[in-house]
Amino acid sequence: MQQTRSALVAYYYFDFKDVAKRDLRGLLSSLLMQLSDDSLRCYGVLSKLYTTCRDGREQPTETALVKCLKTMLELPGQVPIYLIVDALDESPNNIGTPSARKRLLLL
C-alpha cells in the first residue's frame, strides 16, 4: 500500500538505549518527518509549523507537535495513515506527573 501510495505508513520503535527514542517528542518528531517525506500535503503542514517556529530557530512545543500530527491525520481526502508504534514498554514508567509512558498512552 505504501509503494502504490494508497496509504501512508509511519513507524516508531522505542529504544531504551537511546534517550531521544524514549519519549513523546522523539515519537512525534519521527512520525511527522516520515509522513512529510511521503506526502506533499503532510509536508505542507510540517512546513507551516517550521515557519511558526521562526524558520527553525525555535523548537516547537510538544503541544504544537501533537497539533501538527492531528492536522495531518485529519487532512480532507488524505489516503489512510497507519502509525505503527513498537516497544512502548521501553519508554520510562518512572514516578512522575505524569510519567513519559503515561503521556504517550494518553496521546
Side-chain angles (χ1 to χ4, degrees):
M1 288 181 352
Q2 188 174 14
Q3 290 175 350
T4 62
R5 303 275 189 221
S6 60
L8 297 176
V9 178
Y11 179 86
Y12 191 78
Y13 180 81
F14 287 93
D15 185 353
F16 78 95
K17 294 177 187 175
D18 186 346
V19 176
K21 292 187 176 185
R22 291 191 295 194
D23 63 10
L24 184 59
R25 179 173 286 280
L27 168 75
L28 293 168
S29 299
S30 178
L31 295 177
L32 292 172
M33 288 300 297
Q34 290 176 65
L35 294 173
S36 67
D37 279 347
D38 289 339
S39 164
L40 285 176
R41 297 175 72 209
C42 288
Y43 176 83
V45 173
L46 186 58
S47 180
K48 286 180 185 176
L49 176 61
Y50 178 81
T51 301
T52 62
C53 291
R54 298 183 50 207
D55 293 335
R57 290 187 297 269
E58 296 175 357
Q59 289 291 315
T61 64
E62 286 181 0
T63 302
L65 294 172
V66 169
K67 183 178 178 187
C68 187
L69 179 60
K70 285 182 179 182
T71 301
M72 288 180 182
L73 294 172
E74 295 171 349
L75 284 169
Q78 179 67 276
V79 296
I81 296 175
Y82 296 92
L83 303 177
I84 301 166
V85 180
D86 191 9
L88 182 57
D89 61 319
E90 302 285 335
S91 179
N93 195 24
N94 53 354
I95 297 173
T97 25
S99 71
R101 188 178 305 171
K102 180 158 181 133
R103 291 174 59 223
L104 291 163
L105 291 170
L106 289 172
L107 174 68

